[in-house]
Amino acid sequence: MRDSARLSRRSVLALAVAAPMAGAASMAGATPVAAAAPAIEAAPDSEAGPVLGGDRLGSDTVQAGSTTGLPRRLTARSWLVADHDTGEVLAAYRAHRRLPPASTLKMLFADTLLDRFPRGSRHTVTAADLAGIPAGSSLVGIRAGTTYTVDQLWQGVFLRSGNDAVHVLAHMNGGVARTVAEMRARARELRALDTHVVSPDGYDHPGQLSSAYDLTLFARHGLRDPAFRAYCRTRTADFPAGGRRTFQIQNTDRLLDGTWGLRAYPGLIGVKNGYTTHAGNTFTGAATRAGRTLLVTVMHPGNRLDAVYEEAAALLDWGFAQGASARAVGVLVEPTGESAGERPGAGPAAARGAVASGAGTREPSAGRLAEGAGTAVALLAGGFLALRRRRTPGRAKGRHRE
């Protein structure tokens, strides 16, 4: 790309911030589609400059402040461990690699809509609310004609990863397409620039992508909301079955419940697991020990049933044992308009972590900014910005089996 054809990174950032809701009103009843969407898996921009969160997070090799005790048999295609309070990334592998997120994308859905409706308000579900749910989706068991509280719908999202609950809430919000537009805007606010949203449920639509870095951003920001934190740590709930009947639903997070042969991880407080046939298993978790909270994201490990949980637990164990003395390899950035010292509960350590890593004031590359801003920015940039990605062949849609 010639220099004369480039936009400055600051110009692209301005475009990204200026276009968060472009086209949202006109999309309001339509099914979301990926305009000029990337393939199911895409590598970072080949011309990327400084990497969001620190240049070491763009590496294709394991980055760790201390390799002492680091798990040796990790099969995940991408993973990250970070300190929740300071935002320091303690270790990572291909943190910005863009992969299908499966239902971990529901963290962004919740972060976008969780405070939109009073939790005690009631909604009688219609057939239209349930239209367009992909075949094979994970469901909580919502039925047309039955009335649910908003609180119950969110329990269906967090505990059972119910795509039916997601679609009902999306229709209450003005439609799936409107919700997708708002999620894209929210991702930009959180500076989750590896993420491209096609549907609110995380299903394997072509172009639906995120990264270990972005999923960890979603979890960290979501856990600042007491309602988000309460939902993701809830183990069981009674769910309406029609009339006055109910049935019990259980959280599908096996590290929270200690089910299917796994022991519950000590101090776990959520956050979200996911599975589709093409994304494989994805998981973002948070745990607290001795007053310290760590975040971990694991994407696409080996095919063993519990690999995603076992590898997440191993990384958390390392973080609690070695992470306190490990030098940070990067930082989780704050949302647009916030700094480490401004957010609630942040202390000097957070600001020091951002400065020490040299990443707190970095801007992402022009290519990644444009990619994260979606088609609105691409149209605004017109012929002045070429989005260059390495692509892999697209794959057919998968199924949720959480």
Side-chain angles (χ1 to χ4, degrees):
M1 187 186 300
R2 296 179 179 176
D3 291 341
S4 60
R6 293 182 183 272
L7 289 177
S8 71
R9 287 194 292 273
R10 291 187 183 276
S11 298
V12 179
L13 180 59
L15 289 172
V17 173
M21 290 298 294
S26 62
M27 294 171 65
T31 300
V33 295
I40 275 288
E41 179 182 340
D45 209 336
S46 61
E47 295 188 353
V51 178
L52 191 64
D55 287 349
R56 293 181 68 177
L57 299 184
S59 173
D60 283 338
T61 60
V62 172
Q63 300 295 307
S66 169
T67 58
T68 303
L70 193 68
R72 299 294 183 186
R73 297 184 178 180
L74 298 174
T75 63
R77 299 168 72 185
S78 177
W79 54 262
L80 184 148
V81 185
D83 187 293
H84 173 273
D85 295 327
T86 67
E88 292 180 344
V89 177
L90 307 177
Y93 175 62
R94 294 180 173 178
H96 284 291
R97 186 173 188 176
R98 304 178 75 229
L99 297 164
S103 284
T104 47
L105 191 66
K106 289 182 173 76
M107 293 187 294
L108 176 60
F109 173 75
D111 193 51
T112 305
L113 294 188
L114 190 56
D115 298 327
R116 193 65 53 87
F117 311 105
R119 281 182 282 169
S121 63
R122 304 172 69 83
H123 177 77
T124 301
V125 173
T126 67
D129 292 337
L130 301 174
I133 298 173
S137 289
S138 55
L139 304 172
V140 65
I142 291 175
R143 303 193 310 175
T146 300
T147 300
Y148 303 85
T149 65
V150 167
D151 183 54
Q152 290 165 339
L153 293 173
W154 281 116
Q155 289 172 349
V157 173
F158 277 90
L159 275 67
R160 297 304 300 174
S161 203
N163 286 4
D164 46 357
V166 168
H167 279 252
V168 171
L169 286 163
H171 280 282
M172 291 171 62
N173 188 53
V176 170
R178 179 186 178 88
T179 300
V180 166
E182 292 181 355
M183 289 174 66
R184 291 178 178 178
R186 187 62 172 151
R188 291 193 291 275
E189 290 173 1
L190 297 177
R191 299 171 72 185
L193 304 180
D194 301 320
T195 297
H196 181 70
V197 182
V198 178
S199 68
D201 48 36
Y203 199 81
D204 276 342
H205 296 285
Q208 184 127 280
L209 298 165
S210 192
S211 67
Y213 186 88
D214 285 8
L215 294 176
T216 310
L217 286 181
F218 300 150
R220 185 182 186 220
H221 195 268
L223 288 171
R224 294 171 177 173
D225 184 332
F228 184 106
R229 182 180 285 252
Y231 281 125
C232 73
R233 72 189 306 171
T234 299
R235 288 175 167 81
T236 63
D238 292 328
F239 201 77
R244 296 184 177 180
R245 297 172 298 161
T246 63
F247 62 95
Q248 188 182 81
I249 58 175
Q250 299 84 31
N251 199 310
T252 58
D253 181 348
R254 296 179 190 177
L255 282 187
L256 184 69
D257 292 335
T259 55
W260 295 85
L262 287 173
R263 69 181 181 92
Y265 191 85
L268 196 81
I269 54 176
V271 184
K272 190 71 188 76
N273 56 321
Y275 173 78
T276 67
T277 51
H278 289 135
N281 286 288
T282 59
F283 177 72
T284 297
T288 298
R289 188 178 297 176
R292 186 172 186 231
T293 299
L294 296 183
L295 299 163
V296 62
T297 295
V298 174
M299 300 186 75
H300 304 218
N303 292 327
R304 290 180 299 106
L305 182 64
D306 292 328
V308 73
Y309 300 108
E310 292 169 352
E311 295 185 17
L315 286 167
L316 284 172
D317 285 343
W318 172 85
F320 285 119
Q322 306 293 336
S325 59
R327 184 184 179 93
V329 299
V331 66
L332 300 175
V333 296
E334 290 298 322
T336 302
E338 295 182 23
S339 69
E342 291 173 346
R343 69 179 185 273
R352 286 198 303 271
V355 173
S357 70
T361 58
R362 292 183 187 274
E363 292 177 346
S365 69
R368 183 165 288 167
L369 278 167
E371 187 174 72
T375 56
V377 173
L379 288 172
L380 285 169
F384 294 99
L385 185 64
L387 299 178
R388 298 176 63 182
R389 302 188 184 103
R390 298 190 298 271
R391 298 174 182 265
T392 57
R395 291 177 279 185
K397 297 176 183 178
R399 293 176 177 268
H400 287 254
R401 296 173 184 168
E402 296 177 281

